[in-house]
């Protein structure tokens, strides 16, 4: 970093965002495009700071020494603490583990420099409002909030309630830990690419899956799918391309655009961005699917043959792929001109292929039209249900049935429930990783527009030509699995969403939480106390219930299950590192308390 004020590795004083508190931090890197310094606190929490929020450590210490003889409200209080308060104090100590070298400009303290390392000067108790993450304004406010949250912010482990000390970070351990953390962060600097730099693997996986998908889809369309009649590795050009199919896909997307921009439904607020701004989203997805369903039924009634979707599956997928590529090129180009505060943290590696794949702009918008939100929640997701419905009609046609098979009905209903639920709770998507942290690039554009509609429908596609009879007990067991999975998925997602939107929601007051240095807290009881990703657990159970109706004779209907396990395990580890970076020791504490990631006692 030759031309920047603070150098990598330099120890400086970083202002805690929104407050007048300064902490000793180490500079990790400087991002020229966003003009932000990434700094690491003593407990491993990383934050991005502007240059004006960083001060030279030397000058700062002189100033704090001169103030050190003045009155120290914090210290006075600590002497007269009752035992109950001591427990709370130890909680806030852990919460404020970052404050290993805190100095307030406005509230002078009496700490000596020698003590700065292990004694938090200021209690960074978490604040309750969703927007309060960075609004520590005065010690008195912090104190008041702390009183208010006393019952909820419990840092003690649930099982050994009496052992509050176990959670305090020992100063000497902290030093050792710091070194490891700094090293880990430095390592992440040298390989800043997501997917652990294994993007080749991800590409290969996607290509491999695409190849299998092609082989499967071609195989199923054969009259005689025997080994002697194996389809060519690549179907002929016409099998991929059909201008009419492209026309239909464009019409479908435009229809969804129209429904999205209609001034119908709620305007929901997204999570606060780095700039503090909160974007508004039109969450009328349920309305969109209802209108789409009416339109589709009316079209079928008018004689439109939806089995076209089955017979032109490949061409429709190619058309969607083309649209997703064009969209990604547009996204990549516009991200080059986007203002720094509009960019996601990833996607700026300098490697064109990686950045194109990962995406750099966080919330690309054309006026109020949010491209990422729209693509994730509308054409592909609603298209998934349309395709499933078309497969049910194709099955009836191909198998000469008066009604779809039980297996087909189950697959259709299960997946419809999943999509309807996603759209009904559309607001909850605003607190997911994709919306909050990830840039919008080829991976998501392709995922939303091609992957979801053309691979999530493979169970229904398979059943068209592979009837699978289900016994009543099997049917009952599958339905039970789906409902239990759905319950876990919905409850856990709603719990987290409600908590992120309003941490002081009275409905959540029974839940234990861990405060973090950022002001946000982590749920440590309820669903998020069972495993670290209860929503993934429910989702996986549902995925199993989607594949079971297709039986075990072919791998294709299990494609989703296999892909989903890989996706969620990878997402979980990506989220783990991201949360570790954000929450530092509080995250470690959460992981110690909630031992398993997705499946209790297994993983
Ligand atoms: N069908 C499909 O293809 C897919 C479905 N999904 C589903 O989408 C849903 C969203 O998944 P995803 O976005 O991956 O992840 P999550 O909704 O689980 O979001 C993870 C975030 O939640 C917050 N968080 C983590 N732990 C806690 C805690 N203990 N207390 C409070 N907040 C916590 C953190 O964000 P912060 O602290 O910053 O708020 C973390 O980054 C899931 O149900 C998943 O199963 C996901 C991918 C694909
Ligand atoms: C092609 C790549 C290898 C992977 C692409 C991943 C995407 C397909 C998924 C990433 C997160 C998703 C979510 C849903 C669909 C799949 C993608 C886009 C979701 C909208 C499905 C419906 C759920 O109810 C949900 C919780 C809203 C999901 C949110 C995440």
């Amino acid at each position: 970093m030759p031309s920047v004020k603070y150098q990598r590795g330099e120890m400086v004083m970083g202002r805690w965002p929104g407050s007048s508190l300064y902490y000793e931090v180490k500079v990790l890197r400087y991002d020229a495009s966003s003009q932000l310094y990434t700094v690491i606190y003593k407990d491993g929490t990383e934050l991005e700071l502007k240059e004006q929020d960083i001060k030279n450590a030397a000058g700062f210490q002189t100033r704090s020494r001169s103030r050190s003889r003045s009155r120290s409200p914090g210290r006075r209080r600590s002497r007269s603490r009752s035992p109950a308060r001591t427990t709370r104090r130890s909680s806030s100590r852990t919460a404020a583990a970052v404050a290993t070298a805190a100095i307030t400009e406005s509230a002078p303290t009496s700490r000596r420099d020698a003590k700065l390392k292990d004694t938090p000067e200021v209690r960074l108790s978490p604040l309750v409002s969703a927007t309060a993450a960075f609004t520590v304004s005065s010690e008195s406010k912090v104190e008041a909030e702390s009183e208010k949250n006393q019952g909820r912010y419990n840092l003690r482990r649930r099982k050994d309630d009496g052992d509050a000390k176990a959670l305090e970070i020992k100063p000497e351990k902290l030093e050792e830990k710091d070194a490891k953390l700094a090293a880990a962060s430095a390592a992440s600097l040298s390989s800043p690419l997501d997917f652990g730099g294994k993007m080749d693997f991800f590409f290969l996986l996607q290509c491999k899956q695409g190849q299998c998908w092609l082989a499967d889809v071609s195989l199923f369309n054969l009259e005689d799918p025997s080994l002697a009649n194996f389809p060519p590795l690549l179907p002929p050009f016409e099998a991929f391309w059909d201008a009419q199919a492209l026309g239909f896909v464009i019409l479908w997307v435009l229809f969804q655009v129209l429904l999205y921009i209609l001034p119908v439904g709620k305007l929901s607020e997204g999570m606060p961005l780095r700039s503090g701004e909160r974007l508004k989203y039109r969450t009328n997805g349920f309305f969109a699917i209802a209108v789409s369903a009416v339109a589709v039924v009316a079209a079928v009634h008018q004689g439109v043959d939806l089995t076209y979707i089955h017979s032109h599956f490949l061409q429709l997928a190619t058309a969607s792929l083309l649209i997703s590529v064009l969209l990604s090129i547009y996204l990549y180009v516009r991200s080059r001109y986007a203002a720094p505060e509009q960019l996601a943290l990833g996607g700026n590696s300098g490697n064109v292929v990686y950045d194109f794949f990962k995406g750099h702009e966080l919330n690309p918008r054309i006026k109020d039209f949010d491209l990422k939100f729209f693509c994730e929640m509308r054409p592909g997701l609603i298209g998934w249900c349309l395709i499933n419905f078309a497969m049910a009609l194709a099955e009836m046609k191909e198998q000469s049935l008066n009604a779809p098979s039980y297996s087909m009905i189950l697959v259709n209903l299960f997946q419809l429930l999943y999509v309807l639920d996603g759209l009904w709770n559309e607001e909850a998507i605003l607190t997911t990783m994709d919306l909050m942290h990830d840039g919008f690039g080829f991976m998501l554009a392709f995922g939303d527009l091609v992957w979801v509609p053309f691979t999530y429908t493979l169970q229904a596609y398979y059943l068209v030509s592979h009837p699978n009879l289900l016994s009543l007990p099997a049917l009952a067991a599958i339905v039970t699995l789906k409902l239990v999975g759905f319950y876990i998925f919905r409850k856990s997602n709603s719990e987290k969403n409600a908590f992120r939107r309003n941490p002081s929601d009275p409905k959540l007051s029974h839940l234990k939480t861990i405060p973090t240095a950022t002001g946000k807290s982590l749920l440590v009881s309820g669903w998020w106390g069972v495993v670290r990703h209860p929503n993934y657990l429910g989702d996986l159970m549902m995925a199993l219930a989607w594949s079971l109706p297709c039986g075990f004779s072919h791998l294709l209907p299990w494609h989703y299950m296999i892909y989903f396990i890989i996706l969620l395990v990878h997402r979980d580890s990506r989220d783990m590192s991201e949360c570790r970076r954000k929450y530092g020791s509080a995250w470690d504490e959460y992981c110690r308390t909630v031992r398993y990631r997705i499946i209790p006692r297994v993983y």
Side-chain angles (χ1 to χ4, degrees), residues 294-337:
V294 172
V296 168
V297 171
V300 172
H301 203 255
Q302 290 302 308
V304 173
D305 183 12
L306 274 194
T307 61
Y308 172 91
I309 295 180
H310 178 254
S311 52
H312 292 77
F313 201 52
L314 210 54
Q315 292 95 329
L316 290 164
T318 313
S320 305
L321 174 66
L322 180 69
I323 293 176
S324 72
V325 171
L326 293 176
L327 174 66
S328 312
I329 295 173
Y330 167 72
L331 291 169
Y332 179 76
V333 173
R334 64 171 276 162
S335 76
R336 314 278 297 183
Y337 300 96

Side-chain angles (χ1 to χ4, degrees), residues 43 83 127 143 149 189 194 204 227 231 251 253 300 321 323 326-327 351 379-380 413 461 596 601:
D43 77 330
L127 301 180
E143 189 69 42
N149 295 319
L189 270 180
D194 207 347
L204 276 178
L227 275 182
L251 270 180
V253 175
V300 172
L321 174 66
I323 293 176
L326 293 176
L327 174 66
N351 178 331
L413 287 183
Y461 186 91
Y596 292 93
R601 297 184 180 282

Side-chain angles (χ1 to χ4, degrees), residues 45 72 168 225 230 244 315 327-328 476 512 537 598:
T45 307
S72 166
E168 289 187 48
F230 203 81
Q244 198 185 33
Q315 292 95 329
L327 174 66
S328 312
K512 287 183 180 170
L537 172 67
I598 301 179

Side-chain angles (χ1 to χ4, degrees), residues 530-533 591 594-603:
V530 178
V531 280
R532 289 180 222 155
H533 261 126
C591 295
V594 182
R595 300 265 305 279
Y596 292 93
R597 289 163 178 248
I598 301 179
I599 307 175
R601 297 184 180 282
V602 177
Y603 175 74

